[in-house]
Amino acid sequence: MEITHNGAGIEVLLGDITKMETDAIVNAANTSLMGGGGVDGAIHRAGGKAILDDCIRIRNQQGGCPVGEAVITTGGNLKCRYVIHTVGPVWNGGMRRGEEEKLRSCYRNALALANANHVASIAFPSISTGIYRYPKDLASQAAVDEVYTYLTTRETKIRKVVFVCFDKESLELYQQALHM
């Protein structure tokens, strides 16, 4: 399913982000950038050593990636040119730790980095909804709102954004957030 905003298409699909043929995919990374479980581990395994080498270089230069920020590496063996690594917040109830703003910052910073690197198409996983326990309904609303806001309020080279959902529950929540 796809909808269009300001000439940019927003699509939601059930699938494997490591198989996406977009200019960039987004990795739900950890602050060390050294790979982990879930989406992060899958991307590192599928993308190979080149991604890890870039992550080590970035870590050596700046000490990792803070929550809400984003960095870019090669796509390695993946079908994309780039992997944009962003670190989502751990859910702690959402009341005083700024989880929503940190999650929104992940999407904003990933899109800004994509735009700066002339990315026309980008695929996102559902950031922070795995081991970081961010509620899927709240995460999908924040993600869709932040992407829509970015695409409609900035000049951008991005023409296609895909939310790649790992499970049917997430797919339905993203579809609801997009009013599909």
Side-chain angles (χ1 to χ4, degrees):
M1 299 183 131
E2 184 174 345
I3 58 174
T4 303
H5 295 290
N6 264 9
I10 300 175
E11 186 178 341
V12 179
L13 58 85
L14 185 64
D16 179 348
I17 198 162
T18 68
K19 308 283 189 219
M20 293 302 299
E21 295 185 30
T22 50
D23 292 338
I25 64 171
V26 176
N27 180 20
N30 59 52
T31 57
S32 77
L33 299 173
M34 294 296 103
V39 170
D40 192 18
I43 288 172
H44 275 271
R45 283 188 302 278
K49 188 175 178 330
I51 294 173
L52 181 61
D53 289 346
D54 276 1
C55 286
I56 289 169
R57 179 186 48 79
I58 292 165
R59 193 179 73 172
N60 290 343
Q61 288 174 345
Q62 68 184 45
C65 185
V67 174
E69 297 298 318
V71 298
I72 192 167
T73 67
T74 179
N77 299 330
L78 298 168
K79 294 177 182 178
C80 59
R81 284 188 299 157
Y82 302 111
V83 175
I84 298 174
H85 307 262
T86 189
V87 182
V90 173
W91 181 257
N92 286 300
M95 300 306 282
R96 296 188 312 231
R97 303 210 179 184
E99 290 103 317
E100 183 179 358
E101 180 49 38
K102 290 174 185 173
L103 182 63
R104 287 175 175 273
S105 182
C106 289
Y107 288 93
R108 222 177 11 256
N109 288 324
L111 290 165
L113 197 51
N115 196 46
N117 284 277
H118 309 285
V119 166
S121 58
I122 186 169
F124 284 94
S126 186
I127 298 168
S128 283
T129 61
I131 196 167
Y132 288 0
R133 304 178 318 275
Y134 207 105
K136 290 179 181 181
D137 59 335
L138 300 178
S140 62
Q141 287 291 331
V144 166
D145 182 57
E146 203 57 47
V147 166
Y148 178 81
T149 298
Y150 188 92
L151 294 176
T152 57
T153 62
R154 291 177 174 80
E155 252 186 69
T156 183
K157 298 165 188 77
I158 300 168
R159 297 277 123 312
K160 181 178 181 181
V161 175
V162 183
F163 291 108
V164 182
C165 301
F166 183 72
D167 58 40
K168 288 183 180 180
E169 177 190 10
S170 296
L171 177 72
E172 291 170 2
L173 290 167
Y174 275 87
Q175 288 171 335
Q176 288 171 12
L178 281 166
H179 310 292
M180 299 176 112

